Amino acid sequence: MTVRMHTPNLLARAGTVTALTLVTLGGTTVSPGETGNAEAATVSAYALRIAASKSGAPYQYGAQGPYRFDCSGLTLYSFKRAGRALPRTAAAQYVRTRHIPASVRRRGDLVFFRSARGIYHVGIYAGRGRMWHAPKAGSVVRLERIWSGAVSYGRVG
């Protein structure tokens, strides 16, 4: 059996990659001095795709995948597959992330729900006010609008 790799882009065949090529193909561009942010964005985008690929997986308290998840189990699993380690619980994940304002949130950042008792839920921001998460017993991993204003955002480094 022969497997062929098809590369439709002439620049890719030639081994030349420019910023315009990356933007056109949806790649990540890096400015001088911003290597860490670009790498974090790539990791977060990959983690988001992993979470989305688990759409419909059943919720199970304490589950960390690959077929069942609770909220922090989904984020832990997604970022682990993307190459970053997170602690087990939503509250511990909150402590481990760099806290950011909603005005600079981006796809792949973590969304933490808080109450007077502390952090109680986590999901992965998907853009347009939505997130991927494992909501509760009897439900499945799904894309849903962020329903509360009592949220904080964290970026995985």
Side-chain angles (χ1 to χ4, degrees), residues 131-151:
M131 68 172 184
W132 283 99
H133 71 134
K136 60 186 175 184
S139 67
V140 297
V141 171
R142 63 183 177 221
L143 180 65
E144 192 167 36
R145 279 208 145 307
I146 297 169
W147 63 87
S148 173
V151 297

PDB file of all heavy atoms in Angstrom, residues 131-151:
ATOM      1  N   MET A 131     -18.313  28.251  25.301  1.00  0.00           N
ATOM      2  CA  MET A 131     -17.237  27.397  25.802  1.00  0.00           C
ATOM      3  C   MET A 131     -17.606  25.933  25.639  1.00  0.00           C
ATOM      4  O   MET A 131     -18.780  25.570  25.581  1.00  0.00           O
ATOM      5  CB  MET A 131     -16.972  27.694  27.274  1.00  0.00           C
ATOM      6  CG  MET A 131     -18.108  27.287  28.162  1.00  0.00           C
ATOM      7  SD  MET A 131     -17.651  27.441  29.881  1.00  0.00           S
ATOM      8  CE  MET A 131     -19.116  26.780  30.629  1.00  0.00           C
ATOM      9  N   TRP A 132     -16.581  25.094  25.578  1.00  0.00           N
ATOM     10  CA  TRP A 132     -16.750  23.649  25.627  1.00  0.00           C
ATOM     11  C   TRP A 132     -16.607  23.238  27.074  1.00  0.00           C
ATOM     12  O   TRP A 132     -15.685  23.691  27.763  1.00  0.00           O
ATOM     13  CB  TRP A 132     -15.686  22.944  24.787  1.00  0.00           C
ATOM     14  CG  TRP A 132     -15.987  23.012  23.332  1.00  0.00           C
ATOM     15  CD1 TRP A 132     -15.461  23.884  22.426  1.00  0.00           C
ATOM     16  CD2 TRP A 132     -16.908  22.188  22.617  1.00  0.00           C
ATOM     17  NE1 TRP A 132     -16.000  23.637  21.190  1.00  0.00           N
ATOM     18  CE2 TRP A 132     -16.885  22.609  21.275  1.00  0.00           C
ATOM     19  CE3 TRP A 132     -17.741  21.140  22.993  1.00  0.00           C
ATOM     20  CZ2 TRP A 132     -17.674  22.005  20.303  1.00  0.00           C
ATOM     21  CZ3 TRP A 132     -18.521  20.538  22.019  1.00  0.00           C
ATOM     22  CH2 TRP A 132     -18.490  20.967  20.688  1.00  0.00           C
ATOM     23  N   HIS A 133     -17.518  22.404  27.547  1.00  0.00           N
ATOM     24  CA  HIS A 133     -17.439  21.944  28.929  1.00  0.00           C
ATOM     25  C   HIS A 133     -18.238  20.671  29.127  1.00  0.00           C
ATOM     26  O   HIS A 133     -19.009  20.257  28.264  1.00  0.00           O
ATOM     27  CB  HIS A 133     -17.900  23.047  29.895  1.00  0.00           C
ATOM     28  CG  HIS A 133     -19.364  23.333  29.858  1.00  0.00           C
ATOM     29  ND1 HIS A 133     -20.109  23.475  30.991  1.00  0.00           N
ATOM     30  CD2 HIS A 133     -20.233  23.497  28.824  1.00  0.00           C
ATOM     31  CE1 HIS A 133     -21.372  23.738  30.676  1.00  0.00           C
ATOM     32  NE2 HIS A 133     -21.468  23.755  29.371  1.00  0.00           N
ATOM     33  N   ALA A 134     -18.004  20.052  30.275  1.00  0.00           N
ATOM     34  CA  ALA A 134     -18.769  18.884  30.716  1.00  0.00           C
ATOM     35  C   ALA A 134     -19.628  19.387  31.869  1.00  0.00           C
ATOM     36  O   ALA A 134     -19.141  19.566  32.972  1.00  0.00           O
ATOM     37  CB  ALA A 134     -17.826  17.771  31.164  1.00  0.00           C
ATOM     38  N   PRO A 135     -20.910  19.698  31.614  1.00  0.00           N
ATOM     39  CA  PRO A 135     -21.718  20.432  32.578  1.00  0.00           C
ATOM     40  C   PRO A 135     -22.044  19.743  33.899  1.00  0.00           C
ATOM     41  O   PRO A 135     -21.745  20.276  34.956  1.00  0.00           O
ATOM     42  CB  PRO A 135     -23.001  20.747  31.832  1.00  0.00           C
ATOM     43  CG  PRO A 135     -22.746  20.461  30.408  1.00  0.00           C
ATOM     44  CD  PRO A 135     -21.611  19.501  30.355  1.00  0.00           C
ATOM     45  N   LYS A 136     -22.685  18.584  33.848  1.00  0.00           N
ATOM     46  CA  LYS A 136     -23.174  17.976  35.095  1.00  0.00           C
ATOM     47  C   LYS A 136     -23.630  16.555  34.823  1.00  0.00           C
ATOM     48  O   LYS A 136     -23.741  16.134  33.665  1.00  0.00           O
ATOM     49  CB  LYS A 136     -24.340  18.785  35.663  1.00  0.00           C
ATOM     50  CG  LYS A 136     -25.523  18.858  34.719  1.00  0.00           C
ATOM     51  CD  LYS A 136     -26.606  19.765  35.234  1.00  0.00           C
ATOM     52  CE  LYS A 136     -27.705  19.881  34.180  1.00  0.00           C
ATOM     53  NZ  LYS A 136     -28.731  20.803  34.555  1.00  0.00           N
ATOM     54  N   ALA A 137     -23.935  15.830  35.892  1.00  0.00           N
ATOM     55  CA  ALA A 137     -24.423  14.460  35.768  1.00  0.00           C
ATOM     56  C   ALA A 137     -25.657  14.413  34.862  1.00  0.00           C
ATOM     57  O   ALA A 137     -26.511  15.290  34.928  1.00  0.00           O
ATOM     58  CB  ALA A 137     -24.757  13.893  37.149  1.00  0.00           C
ATOM     59  N   GLY A 138     -25.709  13.419  34.004  1.00  0.00           N
ATOM     60  CA  GLY A 138     -26.830  13.265  33.084  1.00  0.00           C
ATOM     61  C   GLY A 138     -26.676  14.040  31.788  1.00  0.00           C
ATOM     62  O   GLY A 138     -27.543  13.988  30.929  1.00  0.00           O
ATOM     63  N   SER A 139     -25.566  14.766  31.636  1.00  0.00           N
ATOM     64  CA  SER A 139     -25.346  15.537  30.412  1.00  0.00           C
ATOM     65  C   SER A 139     -24.100  15.028  29.694  1.00  0.00           C
ATOM     66  O   SER A 139     -23.493  14.048  30.108  1.00  0.00           O
ATOM     67  CB  SER A 139     -25.203  17.027  30.744  1.00  0.00           C
ATOM     68  OG  SER A 139     -24.019  17.244  31.484  1.00  0.00           O
ATOM     69  N   VAL A 140     -23.748  15.718  28.626  1.00  0.00           N
ATOM     70  CA  VAL A 140     -22.590  15.337  27.811  1.00  0.00           C
ATOM     71  C   VAL A 140     -21.720  16.562  27.552  1.00  0.00           C
ATOM     72  O   VAL A 140     -22.167  17.700  27.728  1.00  0.00           O
ATOM     73  CB  VAL A 140     -23.041  14.728  26.462  1.00  0.00           C
ATOM     74  CG1 VAL A 140     -23.824  13.438  26.671  1.00  0.00           C
ATOM     75  CG2 VAL A 140     -23.850  15.725  25.645  1.00  0.00           C
ATOM     76  N   VAL A 141     -20.491  16.322  27.122  1.00  0.00           N
ATOM     77  CA  VAL A 141     -19.597  17.409  26.721  1.00  0.00           C
ATOM     78  C   VAL A 141     -20.272  18.148  25.575  1.00  0.00           C
ATOM     79  O   VAL A 141     -20.755  17.537  24.622  1.00  0.00           O
ATOM     80  CB  VAL A 141     -18.219  16.863  26.279  1.00  0.00           C
ATOM     81  CG1 VAL A 141     -17.365  17.962  25.666  1.00  0.00           C
ATOM     82  CG2 VAL A 141     -17.503  16.215  27.449  1.00  0.00           C
ATOM     83  N   ARG A 142     -20.316  19.486  25.697  1.00  0.00           N
ATOM     84  CA  ARG A 142     -21.005  20.274  24.669  1.00  0.00           C
ATOM     85  C   ARG A 142     -20.515  21.712  24.630  1.00  0.00           C
ATOM     86  O   ARG A 142     -19.889  22.196  25.567  1.00  0.00           O
ATOM     87  CB  ARG A 142     -22.502  20.242  24.892  1.00  0.00           C
ATOM     88  CG  ARG A 142     -22.949  20.874  26.191  1.00  0.00           C
ATOM     89  CD  ARG A 142     -24.450  20.720  26.356  1.00  0.00           C
ATOM     90  NE  ARG A 142     -24.906  21.257  27.615  1.00  0.00           N
ATOM     91  CZ  ARG A 142     -25.814  20.681  28.377  1.00  0.00           C
ATOM     92  NH1 ARG A 142     -26.368  19.544  28.002  1.00  0.00           N
ATOM     93  NH2 ARG A 142     -26.206  21.234  29.506  1.00  0.00           N
ATOM     94  N   LEU A 143     -20.847  22.362  23.531  1.00  0.00           N
ATOM     95  CA  LEU A 143     -20.577  23.777  23.329  1.00  0.00           C
ATOM     96  C   LEU A 143     -21.785  24.535  23.840  1.00  0.00           C
ATOM     97  O   LEU A 143     -22.917  24.219  23.471  1.00  0.00           O
ATOM     98  CB  LEU A 143     -20.361  24.071  21.844  1.00  0.00           C
ATOM     99  CG  LEU A 143     -20.058  25.505  21.460  1.00  0.00           C
ATOM    100  CD1 LEU A 143     -18.726  25.961  22.040  1.00  0.00           C
ATOM    101  CD2 LEU A 143     -20.030  25.641  19.934  1.00  0.00           C
ATOM    102  N   GLU A 144     -21.534  25.529  24.703  1.00  0.00           N
ATOM    103  CA  GLU A 144     -22.658  26.237  25.312  1.00  0.00           C
ATOM    104  C   GLU A 144     -22.272  27.684  25.577  1.00  0.00           C
ATOM    105  O   GLU A 144     -21.106  27.996  25.795  1.00  0.00           O
ATOM    106  CB  GLU A 144     -23.018  25.533  26.621  1.00  0.00           C
ATOM    107  CG  GLU A 144     -24.317  25.959  27.225  1.00  0.00           C
ATOM    108  CD  GLU A 144     -24.745  24.996  28.333  1.00  0.00           C
ATOM    109  OE1 GLU A 144     -23.898  24.469  29.070  1.00  0.00           O
ATOM    110  OE2 GLU A 144     -25.957  24.784  28.453  1.00  0.00           O
ATOM    111  N   ARG A 145     -23.273  28.562  25.562  1.00  0.00           N
ATOM    112  CA  ARG A 145     -23.051  29.962  25.912  1.00  0.00           C
ATOM    113  C   ARG A 145     -22.653  30.070  27.377  1.00  0.00           C
ATOM    114  O   ARG A 145     -23.159  29.320  28.217  1.00  0.00           O
ATOM    115  CB  ARG A 145     -24.317  30.781  25.711  1.00  0.00           C
ATOM    116  CG  ARG A 145     -24.535  31.174  24.268  1.00  0.00           C
ATOM    117  CD  ARG A 145     -25.305  32.460  24.187  1.00  0.00           C
ATOM    118  NE  ARG A 145     -24.993  33.362  23.131  1.00  0.00           N
ATOM    119  CZ  ARG A 145     -23.811  33.875  22.781  1.00  0.00           C
ATOM    120  NH1 ARG A 145     -22.741  33.542  23.408  1.00  0.00           N
ATOM    121  NH2 ARG A 145     -23.688  34.726  21.806  1.00  0.00           N
ATOM    122  N   ILE A 146     -21.766  31.003  27.681  1.00  0.00           N
ATOM    123  CA  ILE A 146     -21.391  31.274  29.071  1.00  0.00           C
ATOM    124  C   ILE A 146     -22.585  31.968  29.703  1.00  0.00           C
ATOM    125  O   ILE A 146     -22.986  33.046  29.260  1.00  0.00           O
ATOM    126  CB  ILE A 146     -20.113  32.122  29.129  1.00  0.00           C
ATOM    127  CG1 ILE A 146     -18.954  31.337  28.502  1.00  0.00           C
ATOM    128  CG2 ILE A 146     -19.801  32.536  30.563  1.00  0.00           C
ATOM    129  CD1 ILE A 146     -17.700  32.160  28.272  1.00  0.00           C
ATOM    130  N   TRP A 147     -23.181  31.366  30.683  1.00  0.00           N
ATOM    131  CA  TRP A 147     -24.466  31.807  31.223  1.00  0.00           C
ATOM    132  C   TRP A 147     -24.356  32.732  32.422  1.00  0.00           C
ATOM    133  O   TRP A 147     -25.365  33.225  32.903  1.00  0.00           O
ATOM    134  CB  TRP A 147     -25.303  30.588  31.610  1.00  0.00           C
ATOM    135  CG  TRP A 147     -24.670  29.782  32.708  1.00  0.00           C
ATOM    136  CD1 TRP A 147     -24.812  29.977  34.056  1.00  0.00           C
ATOM    137  CD2 TRP A 147     -23.785  28.683  32.561  1.00  0.00           C
ATOM    138  NE1 TRP A 147     -24.071  29.062  34.753  1.00  0.00           N
ATOM    139  CE2 TRP A 147     -23.423  28.254  33.859  1.00  0.00           C
ATOM    140  CE3 TRP A 147     -23.248  28.011  31.465  1.00  0.00           C
ATOM    141  CZ2 TRP A 147     -22.559  27.191  34.087  1.00  0.00           C
ATOM    142  CZ3 TRP A 147     -22.390  26.948  31.688  1.00  0.00           C
ATOM    143  CH2 TRP A 147     -22.064  26.545  32.981  1.00  0.00           C
ATOM    144  N   SER A 148     -23.177  32.999  32.896  1.00  0.00           N
ATOM    145  CA  SER A 148     -23.021  33.789  34.122  1.00  0.00           C
ATOM    146  C   SER A 148     -21.986  34.885  33.907  1.00  0.00           C
ATOM    147  O   SER A 148     -21.056  34.731  33.126  1.00  0.00           O
ATOM    148  CB  SER A 148     -22.560  32.858  35.261  1.00  0.00           C
ATOM    149  OG  SER A 148     -22.240  33.612  36.406  1.00  0.00           O
ATOM    150  N   GLY A 149     -22.169  35.968  34.652  1.00  0.00           N
ATOM    151  CA  GLY A 149     -21.161  37.014  34.652  1.00  0.00           C
ATOM    152  C   GLY A 149     -20.114  36.774  35.735  1.00  0.00           C
ATOM    153  O   GLY A 149     -19.084  37.442  35.775  1.00  0.00           O
ATOM    154  N   ALA A 150     -20.368  35.804  36.601  1.00  0.00           N
ATOM    155  CA  ALA A 150     -19.443  35.495  37.689  1.00  0.00           C
ATOM    156  C   ALA A 150     -18.403  34.495  37.214  1.00  0.00           C
ATOM    157  O   ALA A 150     -18.325  33.354  37.666  1.00  0.00           O
ATOM    158  CB  ALA A 150     -20.199  34.954  38.905  1.00  0.00           C
ATOM    159  N   VAL A 151     -17.624  34.931  36.222  1.00  0.00           N
ATOM    160  CA  VAL A 151     -16.559  34.090  35.681  1.00  0.00           C
ATOM    161  C   VAL A 151     -15.230  34.833  35.685  1.00  0.00           C
ATOM    162  O   VAL A 151     -15.200  36.065  35.700  1.00  0.00           O
ATOM    163  CB  VAL A 151     -16.860  33.612  34.225  1.00  0.00           C
ATOM    164  CG1 VAL A 151     -18.097  32.746  34.185  1.00  0.00           C
ATOM    165  CG2 VAL A 151     -16.988  34.771  33.276  1.00  0.00           C
TER     166      VAL A 151
END
